[in-house]
Amino acid sequence: VGGISHDGRLMVFDHKGTIPVSNPLFSSSGVFLFNTQTQALLGVGMGTSGQALPECWYGSLSSDGRWLAYSCESAGERQIFIRDIAAGSVELLGSGDQPRLCGRSGTINFVRTGANGFRQVYQARAPSFTTVLVSRGASGVLGNNHSQFPTSNFDCSVVGFQSSATNFNASPSPSRTSVYVSVRSGDGSFGSSVNVCKSSDGAFAATQDCSGIRLSPMADRYSFQTSDPRVFMQAPVSPPLVLEFRNELDTILMDGWQ
């Protein structure tokens, strides 16, 4: 499930098979939108001209139910599309994958290959959808390895992601994947990404891979998983560790938890 509107009316989800929909040409579109009031199920993996596109996934819905985003194979690459559900229009954001919408502002986080050949995390905001770099080191340097799986708080002012880059603020050893948080400033740019994969004593978990970061709506809590496997819940204030779960979990979904 890629999102549910705050009123519970709309839900978007991915499905790689064929299912019965109200618009039969899109029965295998990969991304589907369900209206809980009318019970209408629509395939929504389409391009800017309304054409069905192949291999669409990562459907994401804004909390106000206005914006829908997804990625599809198009023009020989993964491309991201944003649909204004109320207006019925579809806009091409460009190359990229793993789109995640948030809040009511039409803000989207996504992954795109940077100029150095590694995947980077970016953010774009309606109506212009001007793109800014999220996964960055000092002076805006690109990550020197792949960054992906963005997540955020309600208004996308705080973005979390996982990365194998070693040139961010306080990075772990080169062989490890870690989780980072970037904070948006007043001018819309992001500061250096900060490593938040820490143990209960506040030390960086340099001997463990960290992944699956999730942020609460107010960004006062976040969770991640280490390769023990253990799942930690933390707050970005001292002391860092709030709870520790020793169950093996893929992640803790923190949407709606405050």
Side-chain angles (χ1 to χ4, degrees):
V1 176
I4 301 175
S5 60
H6 64 80
D7 59 4
R9 184 174 61 90
L10 297 175
M11 177 178 69
V12 66
F13 62 93
D14 295 354
H15 182 75
K16 294 188 176 181
T18 299
I19 57 178
V21 292
S22 301
N23 50 346
L25 292 178
F26 295 86
S27 61
S28 301
S29 71
V31 179
F32 300 88
L33 183 68
F34 180 62
N35 189 313
T36 61
Q37 294 179 351
T38 65
Q39 299 296 296
L41 179 62
L42 298 173
V44 291
M46 63 181 65
T48 55
S49 300
Q51 76 277 24
L53 293 176
E55 298 184 49
C56 296
W57 51 72
Y58 286 109
S60 179
L61 184 69
S62 62
S63 65
D64 62 355
R66 175 180 175 181
W67 302 95
L68 172 67
Y70 48 89
S71 63
C72 303
E73 284 294 323
S74 180
E77 64 178 355
R78 298 296 301 176
Q79 293 190 332
I80 296 175
F81 296 85
I82 302 177
R83 179 176 179 174
D84 186 328
I85 295 176
S89 58
V90 177
E91 182 173 344
L92 173 64
L93 184 62
S95 63
D97 207 1
Q98 302 173 15
R100 298 298 298 175
L101 286 163
C102 58
R104 300 186 178 95
S105 60
T107 304
I108 181 172
N109 301 309
F110 61 96
V111 172
R112 174 181 290 170
T113 301
N116 62 357
F118 294 110
R119 292 188 296 274
Q120 311 289 335
V121 176
Y122 294 90
Q123 184 176 105
R125 304 170 71 182
S128 64
F129 291 109
T130 300
T131 298
V132 296
L133 178 65
V134 175
S135 55
R136 50 174 285 176
S139 302
V141 63
L142 295 172
N144 60 4
N145 210 326
H146 296 301
S147 300
Q148 54 190 341
F149 304 122
T151 185
S152 70
N153 65 331
F154 180 78
D155 65 358
C156 274
S157 60
V158 182
V159 180
F161 60 93
Q162 72 181 55
S163 179
S164 299
T166 61
N167 59 336
F168 295 148
N169 182 9
S171 295
S173 62
S175 61
R176 297 295 175 183
T177 296
S178 197
V179 287
Y180 294 84
V181 167
S182 295
V183 179
R184 190 175 66 211
S185 62
D187 64 2
S189 65
F190 283 82
S192 298
S193 302
V194 177
N195 186 350
V196 294
C197 181
K198 297 182 180 181
S199 59
S200 56
D201 60 2
F204 289 105
T207 61
Q208 295 291 331
D209 287 322
C210 295
S211 61
I213 186 170
R214 292 291 187 271
L215 296 170
S216 65
M218 301 302 294
D220 57 346
R221 295 288 188 275
Y222 59 89
S223 71
F224 61 89
Q225 181 175 353
T226 63
S227 53
D228 288 37
R230 292 181 294 177
V231 174
F232 293 92
M233 280 186 179
Q234 293 190 313
V237 293
S238 183
L241 186 61
V242 176
L243 292 173
E244 178 180 331
F245 290 85
R246 293 188 176 274
N247 303 49
E248 183 171 0
L249 302 172
D250 290 333
T251 187
I252 297 176
L253 183 62
M254 301 186 71
D255 295 340
W257 179 53
Q258 299 185 39

